[in-house]
Amino acid sequence: MIDVTVRDEVAVITLARPDKLNALTAAMRADLAAAVREHGGSGRGIVVTGTGRAFSAGEDINQAVGRSLVEEVELFHDMTRAVLETRVPVVAAVNGLAVGGAAEWTLCFDARIGTPAAEYFLPENHIGLSISNAASYLLPRLVGGRALRLVLDSTRMSAEDALAVGLLDQIVDPEALVETAIARVRHWSATGTATAVHLALLRPPLAEVERAFQVETEAAKQVEASGIAQAGMDAFVNRKRAD
């Protein structure tokens, strides 16, 4: 589930499934893309955050077992597409753990502000899954040559480490997180600014991102056809049940 409020002309989209660490069901991913599109052409901008101790645990793997991996990946792709189609600043307020597709989604945002509890975790490689959200293009754009190691190692990064490599832009106290993100959006979209033009000039080109989507969809087909994706998801679900 997601909640959307408007504060100081800024749409605040909140992932509101804290009992599941804000894991993203297929319906939530569609709702997120729709909410970004609804608020992406008007107002001052968008802030996305989570409730509880996680920004989001990424894909809800319990729900994804048995579903088409390609369809799952393409829902993530549309979330990224929606952000890059906006004409307003989009800022992630990373309140806690950001995993997999949710972490990758923030790579296309215009800024990522975290708290000391924020963590980035890309576990796909060791679950037999493939990355999505154009991360194959966006992650190297942000962190350079570290991208391959972050993915292959399934690295879990602290807020300080994420700040050092460029995944986070700023770390603030938890109680100031959303207000700081809103203030950043309002500063960038103040009257008289040329922000919409510069977003178009400096954001990752959508044509390049679409090419990355195509490659990542093919990668999803490969891991699905090989059986490693289903085996990895089954093992993940069984471990969680045992816990």
Side-chain angles (χ1 to χ4, degrees):
M1 130 185 346
I2 67 170
D3 292 329
V4 183
T5 59
V6 177
R7 296 167 56 178
D8 296 327
E9 301 177 275
V10 176
V12 179
I13 300 174
T14 304
L15 308 178
R17 200 183 176 210
D19 56 318
K20 299 295 184 181
L21 299 181
N22 302 319
L24 301 175
T25 65
M28 287 174 68
R29 277 170 273 159
D31 288 346
L32 284 167
V36 169
R37 288 192 169 100
E38 179 181 352
H39 295 279
S42 61
R44 298 285 289 269
I46 298 171
V47 170
V48 180
T49 193
T51 52
R53 62 189 182 92
F55 175 76
S56 171
E59 179 182 31
D60 186 333
I61 292 181
N62 286 284
Q63 187 210 52
V65 170
R67 290 171 56 90
S68 164
L69 183 59
V70 170
E71 291 178 5
E72 292 286 294
V73 162
E74 289 183 345
L75 282 169
F76 275 114
H77 290 172
D78 198 46
M79 289 163 52
T80 292
R81 184 181 293 113
V83 170
L84 293 176
E85 288 172 346
T86 66
R87 292 179 52 80
V88 297
V90 182
V91 174
V94 186
N95 56 297
L97 182 63
V99 180
E104 292 155 10
W105 186 37
T106 70
L107 302 179
C108 72
F109 285 28
D110 303 308
R112 291 157 300 281
I113 302 170
T115 72
E119 294 181 86
Y120 270 76
F121 183 31
L122 304 175
E124 287 97 330
N125 188 46
H126 284 79
I127 304 178
L129 300 176
S130 53
I131 58 176
S132 61
N133 287 284
S136 58
Y137 172 70
L138 298 174
L139 187 60
R141 181 181 165 102
L142 283 176
V143 306
R146 299 180 181 89
L148 182 65
R149 297 192 298 277
L150 293 179
V151 172
L152 295 188
D153 288 344
S154 297
T155 303
R156 186 162 175 162
M157 303 185 69
S158 68
E160 290 292 343
D161 289 341
L163 180 68
V165 301
L167 290 176
L168 287 178
D169 299 297
Q170 184 181 2
I171 298 173
V172 299
D173 291 336
E175 58 272 17
L177 177 63
V178 173
E179 292 304 325
T180 300
I182 290 173
R184 176 74 64 93
V185 167
R186 289 181 59 80
H187 175 65
W188 280 349
S189 59
T191 301
T193 58
T195 294
V197 170
H198 287 117
L199 291 176
L201 288 171
L202 295 171
R203 276 178 170 169
L206 190 55
E208 295 296 325
V209 171
E210 290 290 349
R211 278 192 280 273
F213 289 158
Q214 293 174 13
V215 172
E216 290 171 2
T217 295
E218 289 303 314
K221 290 178 181 177
Q222 290 178 35
V223 296
E224 185 168 46
S226 71
I228 63 171
Q230 191 63 54
M233 288 191 290
D234 287 342
F236 177 88
V237 169
N238 290 334
R239 283 197 303 271
K240 288 295 183 182
R241 287 172 179 166
D243 293 342

